[in-house]
Amino acid sequence: MIKQNEKKTNNHIDPHTTIALSSKIMNNVDIRKNVIIHDFVTVYPNVIIEESTEIFEGAVIGKPPSSIKVVSRPVSTGQKTIIGKGCIISPHVTIYSDVIIGEMTLIGDNASIREQCRIGSHCLIARNVAINYNTKIGDFTKIMDTSVITGNMVIGSHVFISLLVATTNDNEMGRSGYNEEKIRGPIIEDYACIGAGANLLPGVKIGKGAIVGAGSVVTKDVPAKKVVMGIPARIIRDVEEDKKQG
Ligand SMILES: CC(C)(COP(=O)(O)OP(=O)(O)OC[C@H]1O[C@@H](n2cnc3c(N)ncnc32)[C@H](O)[C@@H]1OP(=O)(O)O)[C@@H](O)C(=O)NCCC(=O)NCCS
């Protein structure tokens, strides 16, 4: 059991912060000006929370991942977690250690962000979104409610991922253990849009500005600025000229 650090050595907490008494701030934490931390938040060691960020009830920041040998992938621990300026971390969010989030990003209720993720600035990660390990997300990207972002995935800037989207990284479905070289999530390039409930299979690339229709199962790469839909997803047409971005 982790006990609250009574000495609180090595912490740097700016005097212009508000931290609820019920929250638990561990050792080696840097909390900057005008940060607000509401009730029952836990901040683990090696966390930096930048200026004017607000963290709501029950959130957990910088949690080291646990490994009980049911997971074949080795887990990283002890790295810094940085929450950028002006972010909102909603109730019951869990952000693991070794995560960096840019400024003005909103993380919605119950979202979970695993270790080694990098999330850009001005992003919206909505309620119940799960982002697995080592995934990179650019700036101004929106991921809507209850979508699942797999490990080793790359998502560009200005991407829109609708609700209930599933992404995967292993066609072996764990039968061959964890092989870093082979476990690859999809790549979604800038300005692409993914419709509600779509499934993106391991390693597929969604080209810049492409649109994936709701409910599609994407089994192959999608060229830039094409609309695909169906199971398996097929190219239907080009993105309309007036709606092309990027
Ligand atoms: C990609 C999308 C925008 C296309 O919609 P659209 O422009 O109205 O589609 P089109 O008019 O080009 O449809 C062409 C044909 O494909 C069919 N079709 C449209 N969307 C389809 C889909 N997702 N899957 C399968 N077929 C689809 C249409 O019925 C039409 O068939 P028809 O020619 O036999 O009548 C739409 O499918 C979609 O995915 N919307 C996303 C909704 C969403 O997630 N919004 C975010 C809110 S959080």
Side-chain angles (χ1 to χ4, degrees):
M1 190 175 124
I2 297 160
K3 288 183 78 180
Q4 179 155 8
N5 189 326
E6 283 135 18
K7 290 184 191 157
K8 291 186 182 162
T9 50
N10 300 329
N11 281 348
H12 176 267
I13 299 181
D14 188 280
H16 303 282
T17 57
T18 308
I19 302 177
L21 282 176
S22 59
S23 282
K24 181 155 120 182
I25 310 295
M26 296 197 194
N27 199 13
N28 201 19
V29 167
D30 184 346
I31 301 180
R32 311 238 163 111
K33 209 165 118 189
N34 297 333
V35 164
I36 302 173
I37 298 184
H38 292 267
D39 279 312
F40 304 110
V41 168
T42 301
V43 181
Y44 276 84
N46 303 318
V47 169
I48 300 174
I49 301 170
E50 293 186 345
E51 219 175 299
S52 305
T53 277
E54 188 163 5
I55 303 182
F56 285 87
E57 290 81 358
V60 178
I61 313 293
K63 182 193 178 296
S66 312
S67 177
I68 49 163
K69 297 195 167 55
V70 288
V71 179
S72 45
R73 181 178 56 86
V75 293
S76 78
T77 53
Q79 308 297 317
K80 273 206 171 0
T81 295
I82 305 174
I83 313 294
K85 249 187 193 169
C87 287
I88 292 184
I89 311 296
S90 302
H92 303 290
V93 164
T94 304
I95 296 173
Y96 283 75
S97 56
D98 192 10
V99 168
I100 300 178
I101 298 178
E103 59 184 53
M104 308 295 283
T105 282
L106 188 154
I107 313 289
D109 310 349
N110 299 319
S112 173
I113 302 172
R114 288 295 303 251
E115 67 278 9
Q116 297 173 288
C117 285
R118 303 287 179 263
I119 297 178
S121 299
H122 303 272
C123 290
L124 167 61
I125 310 297
R127 287 169 296 176
N128 300 310
V129 168
I131 302 181
N132 223 320
Y133 60 91
N134 191 35
T135 279
K136 315 278 180 272
I137 299 174
D139 299 327
F140 296 97
T141 282
K142 294 189 170 81
I143 304 179
M144 306 314 287
D145 308 37
T146 318
S147 285
V148 178
I149 303 301
T150 192
N152 293 336
M153 188 161 166
V154 180
I155 300 174
S157 294
H158 297 274
V159 166
F160 179 83
I161 298 179
S162 185
L163 44 94
L164 290 163
V165 169
T167 59
T168 52
N169 64 7
D170 181 17
N171 272 333
E172 289 288 315
M173 296 192 249
R175 289 170 300 164
S176 306
Y178 185 81
N179 179 344
E180 179 68 32
E181 299 305 309
K182 289 194 175 156
I183 308 247
R184 291 287 117 201
I187 297 169
I188 305 179
E189 294 190 336
D190 298 351
Y191 294 100
C193 291
I194 315 295
N199 278 246
L200 309 184
L201 295 188
V204 295
K205 181 160 122 184
I206 311 298
K208 193 169 176 183
I211 295 177
V212 173
S216 304
V217 176
V218 181
T219 57
K220 295 190 175 111
D221 291 355
V222 176
K225 296 177 180 173
K226 295 287 180 195
V227 178
V228 300
M229 53 182 75
I231 302 176
R234 303 270 187 229
I235 298 173
I236 299 295
R237 56 177 165 82
D238 288 348
V239 174
E240 301 95 310
E241 208 45 55
D242 60 331
K243 291 190 182 148
K244 280 184 182 162
Q245 288 180 299

